[in-house]
């Protein structure tokens, strides 16, 4: 895994990337634009191992933006050194963390096992993900006419991101892992509707990650 100063990803880059659900792909589509994943020299071992684990499979340009946004965010947050919290992880109920994430955490987040947990049912995972993700959104977030979380307003300094401002090994990393496992499962399904649902979630996560990073900028 190469190391060096992390590139400053921008949410505006999403507008320049193809929308996976906007039009059918041509018979031989060109490869998507690459997004470099570069870890800084002082990145902790847990982040290096997790990034290696979560980039084993090429899930396209949008997912690469998720990982590329995580790295400078964790760096700005000092890799959770001043944060002893963890994302909500209720074992039962509509807001519980998806089970596949619990399995990944038990496996050392890619350090104890080379095999990734698998999503057995996409419909079940999507329901679990939506319940968990929605429960963590701050009160000021609004939905658009399609019922998805809005990602168009500019970031504001006064916004309180609540529990999403949780960093380090027990923090926002789990969200990125969930998007990865979901994407791997979508690839095996070859279902346009499932792909569109995943792509919408990916773009929302990128917007949140970059919004969290903006809180560290003066």
């Amino acid at each position: 895994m190469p190391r060096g100063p992390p590139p400053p990803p921008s949410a505006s880059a999403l507008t320049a990337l193809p929308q996976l659900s906007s039009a059918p792909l041509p018979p031989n589509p060109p490869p998507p634009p690459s997004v470099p994943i570069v870890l800084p020299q002082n990145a902790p071992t847990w982040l290096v191992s997790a990034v290696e684990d979560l980039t084993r499979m090429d899930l396209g340009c949008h997912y690469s933006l998720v990982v590329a946004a995580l790295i400078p965010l964790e760096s700005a947050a000092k890799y959770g050194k001043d944060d002893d919290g963890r994302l909500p992880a209720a074992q039962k109920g509509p807001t519980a963390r998806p089970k596949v994430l619990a399995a990944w955490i038990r496996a050392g987040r890619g350090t104890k096992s080379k095999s990734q947990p698998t999503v057995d049912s996409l419909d079940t995972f999507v329901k679990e993900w939506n319940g968990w993700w929605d429960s963590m959104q701050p009160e000021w977030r609004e939905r658009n006419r399609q019922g998805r979380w809005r990602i168009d307003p500019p970031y504001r300094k006064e916004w309180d991101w609540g529990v999403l401002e949780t960093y380090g090994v027990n923090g926002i990393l789990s969200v990125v892992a969930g998007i990865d496992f979901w994407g791997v499962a979508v690839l095996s399904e070859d279902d346009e509707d499932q792909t569109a649902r995943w792509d919408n979630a990916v773009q929302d996560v990128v917007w949140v990650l970059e919004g969290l990073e903006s809180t560290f900028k003066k």
Side-chain angles (χ1 to χ4, degrees):
M1 179 66 62
R3 298 193 183 189
S10 171
S12 62
L14 286 171
T15 60
L17 295 173
Q19 298 295 313
L20 297 185
S21 59
S22 61
L25 293 175
N28 296 300
S34 61
V35 179
I37 306 299
V38 183
L39 285 159
Q41 292 288 345
N42 66 337
T45 301
W46 64 262
L47 182 60
V48 174
S49 297
V51 168
E52 289 178 347
D53 190 51
L54 299 176
T55 54
R56 288 178 180 175
M57 185 172 292
D58 183 6
L59 298 181
C61 49
H62 284 180
Y63 175 73
S64 295
L65 281 174
V66 173
V67 181
L70 172 71
I71 294 170
L73 171 60
E74 287 289 353
S75 177
K78 300 179 183 178
Y79 306 105
K81 292 180 180 178
D82 300 327
D83 185 358
D84 295 327
R86 61 180 61 218
L87 290 184
Q91 298 301 310
K92 296 181 179 180
T95 64
R97 179 180 56 200
K99 297 179 179 64
V100 67
L101 287 178
W104 183 66
I105 291 171
R106 287 195 301 270
R109 300 170 181 84
T111 61
K112 297 178 182 178
S113 173
K114 293 184 179 181
S115 61
Q116 291 181 325
T118 57
V119 174
D120 296 325
S121 166
L122 270 173
D123 288 337
T124 298
F125 179 86
V126 171
K127 182 178 180 180
E128 291 177 345
W129 171 271
N130 286 337
W132 186 57
W133 180 248
D134 292 352
S135 73
M136 295 188 290
Q137 300 310 301
E139 293 183 357
W140 50 260
R141 286 206 76 184
E142 299 176 347
R143 296 182 186 270
N144 61 20
R145 292 181 179 180
Q146 290 73 42
R148 297 193 294 268
W149 292 110
R150 291 183 60 187
I151 61 174
D152 52 340
Y155 303 123
R156 299 177 184 175
K157 277 291 184 181
E158 67 269 21
W159 282 351
D160 180 358
W161 293 83
V163 297
L164 290 170
E165 294 186 80
T166 307
Y167 309 108
V169 69
N170 294 312
I172 204 73
L173 171 66
S174 294
V175 169
V176 178
I179 286 292
D180 175 67
F181 303 146
W182 186 355
V184 172
V186 164
L187 279 183
S188 65
E189 289 285 326
D190 192 25
D191 183 303
E192 290 185 4
D193 289 338
Q194 292 286 10
T195 299
R197 294 163 90 181
W198 175 72
D199 190 51
N200 289 331
V202 167
Q203 294 183 57
D204 193 39
V205 169
V206 172
W207 190 83
V208 167
L209 292 177
E210 295 187 345
L212 290 169
E213 188 194 359
S214 74
T215 65
F216 294 94
K217 299 176 180 177
K218 296 181 179 180

